[in-house]
Amino acid sequence: MVVIPNSYFNMKNWLFIILGLLVASCDFKPEDIKTPEWDLDLLGPLAKSDLTVEEILETRSVTFARSLSSADVGLQPPGSYPNLPANYVPIAGPYRYTLSDSFIDLKVLTGSYFIKVKNNLPLTINSGVKIFATDTTNTDTIFKFHLTQNLPKGQTFSTKAIDISGKLIPNRINLWAQDISNDAINSPIVIRNDAGLDVSFSLDNFSINYVRIAPIHKISFADTAAVNTEGDIIKSNALTGKIKMYVLNGMPIQTDMQIYLLDGNKILIDSFFTERVVIPSANVSPVSYTATSPDSALILFNLDSKKIASINKTKYIYPKAVFRTMNPSFPYVKITKNDNISIQIVGDLNLKINSN
């Protein structure tokens, strides 16, 4: 019996472990899986069988940007002016910004953030400016920025890395600006429509403690990945076959997926599955909304000669997957860093082998 070994993978190809077709003919018993003693034709990248929430979200860094117009920061509206008086804005905002439509919030385990402010106004912004973000449902501060030096027109000020370990990041924030000022301008000046302050916030190299997902949310993924269908040791032709996929889902979310087969020109040849594949959610606590025990499934796929011929022509695969919670009575489900989905694949194929 042959299975896919546990080599490293990322989210861009974890779903494709089913394409690691291995030659075998046996009864499927996951606990009896052994390493083969000979080399076989392989299709697709080898992949680790455990999937975590960070790999689902493909999250290693997050950046969002917001432009505050001249009117937003309390300066004169766009136009031509013979002069401008000194301005001072105690506070401007809030300006609502959406970070993600895929979750309610996430808690950072470790990580840091950076803030950049670029001055696109035709005048110098004085030091003392404060820019900060708060949760939309309360006054908790997500991040804050203090300009410690004057910022001439066209220049950018960046903070050093700021620790954000343990912070809760909501999917929507309120952005505020405070204490914006400039010196009086006594010569003619033009303020364009695109003049203002560009503010960007970046989370960098962070790990996730947990993520909360509501029934209205879904996490979608689609990408193109190259595959290798050429065997080196044994030349074999599969006539028919069956793929057995054993899944142990420890996450409180359901997975729907399909994989499309593309030729060398990335033109669609076929879909791998005749029907969509559904991986059921783990069992979920009605109190904590976390996974209490994993759910298992054995999913069978029949391969005919036409499907196998399509696979042999495949040079690229285009997977599409959707992750979601399926219990509408729960306000959300909570996916923790310890939850994972484990997948094992076995192929039972009828072969015509040419060992020359």
Side-chain angles (χ1 to χ4, degrees):
M1 183 178 294
V2 181
V3 295
I4 293 175
N6 289 332
S7 59
Y8 179 78
F9 80 110
N10 56 47
M11 178 54 190
K12 289 189 175 180
N13 58 25
W14 79 269
L15 291 174
F16 321 142
I17 57 177
I18 194 160
L19 291 180
L21 298 180
L22 304 177
V23 180
S25 181
C26 57
D27 292 330
F28 177 70
K29 296 180 180 178
E31 66 274 11
D32 294 336
I33 293 174
K34 299 178 181 178
T35 302
E37 297 178 354
W38 61 89
D39 294 324
L40 301 171
D41 290 349
L42 300 180
L43 172 62
L46 298 180
K48 183 181 177 182
S49 61
D50 292 335
L51 175 68
T52 67
V53 65
E54 288 181 343
E55 289 155 336
I56 286 179
L57 291 175
E58 290 192 294
T59 304
R60 291 297 179 272
S61 63
V62 174
T63 298
F64 77 87
R66 168 78 194 214
S67 293
L68 300 178
S69 70
S70 56
D72 288 337
V73 299
L75 298 173
Q76 299 295 327
S80 179
Y81 301 90
N83 56 67
L84 280 177
N87 266 296
Y88 180 84
V89 182
I91 193 164
Y95 307 107
R96 179 68 60 90
Y97 193 88
T98 299
L99 299 179
S100 174
D101 290 320
S102 297
F103 54 81
I104 299 174
D105 52 31
L106 65 82
K107 189 168 186 179
V108 177
L109 184 63
T110 59
S112 57
Y113 71 89
F114 307 81
I115 298 174
K116 293 182 180 180
V117 176
K118 182 179 181 181
N119 182 10
N120 290 320
L121 291 164
L123 46 85
T124 296
I125 297 297
N126 293 334
S127 63
V129 174
K130 301 179 181 66
I131 296 174
F132 56 98
T134 61
D135 195 320
T136 58
T137 59
N138 53 52
T139 58
D140 290 347
T141 299
I142 309 302
F143 69 79
K144 57 185 176 181
F145 166 85
H146 184 200
L147 184 64
T148 58
Q149 62 189 50
N150 289 351
L151 187 60
K153 63 180 181 179
Q155 293 194 13
T156 300
F157 182 89
S158 301
T159 65
K160 296 181 180 180
I162 303 168
D163 184 68
I164 201 172
S165 300
K167 278 282 189 179
L168 189 67
I169 308 298
N171 65 343
R172 290 176 176 81
I173 64 170
N174 283 331
L175 186 66
W176 308 75
Q178 186 175 359
D179 297 345
I180 298 175
S181 65
N182 62 275
D183 294 332
I185 305 295
N186 298 316
S187 57
I189 190 170
V190 174
I191 300 180
R192 304 187 313 271
N193 287 327
D194 60 351
L197 297 179
D198 289 343
V199 181
S200 66
F201 166 73
S202 299
L203 279 172
D204 187 52
N205 195 28
F206 70 97
S207 59
I208 296 174
N209 192 326
Y210 66 77
V211 173
R212 295 195 304 163
I213 298 176
I216 63 171
H217 296 138
K218 64 179 181 181
I219 303 171
S220 300
F221 171 80
D223 199 8
T224 302
V227 297
N228 178 15
T229 61
E230 297 180 359
D232 294 327
I233 305 300
I234 298 178
K235 305 296 183 181
S236 61
N237 296 312
L239 302 177
T240 60
K242 183 178 294 183
I243 295 297
K244 301 179 181 181
M245 182 169 73
Y246 179 77
V247 181
L248 190 66
N249 187 2
M251 290 189 182
I253 52 174
Q254 174 182 293
T255 303
D256 296 57
M257 68 177 178
Q258 178 58 276
I259 299 174
Y260 297 97
L261 310 179
L262 311 179
D263 64 14
N265 296 317
K266 298 185 179 180
I267 296 175
L268 178 66
I269 300 173
D270 199 349
S271 62
F272 190 81
F273 310 125
T274 304
E275 300 178 353
R276 70 170 186 160
V277 174
V278 179
I279 300 174
S281 163
N283 299 303
V284 182
S285 165
V287 178
S288 64
Y289 308 120
T290 56
T292 56
S293 60
D295 196 2
S296 61
L298 176 61
I299 306 172
L300 304 178
F301 311 101
N302 292 316
L303 302 176
D304 56 21
S305 57
K306 180 181 178 180
K307 185 72 69 176
I308 292 173
S310 295
I311 292 172
N312 288 333
K313 296 176 183 177
T314 298
K315 298 301 179 182
Y316 298 91
I317 48 180
Y318 182 79
K320 297 183 70 175
V322 176
F323 305 88
R324 71 185 91 198
T325 170
M326 298 303 293
N327 192 330
S329 65
F330 290 172
Y332 61 85
V333 293
K334 185 176 179 180
I335 309 173
T336 73
K337 63 182 180 64
N338 297 319
D339 297 336
N340 65 76
I341 300 175
S342 179
I343 302 177
Q344 293 178 319
I345 307 297
V346 171
D348 286 345
L349 306 178
N350 297 321
L351 302 174
K352 178 181 178 181
I353 298 178
N354 178 7
S355 59
N356 295 331

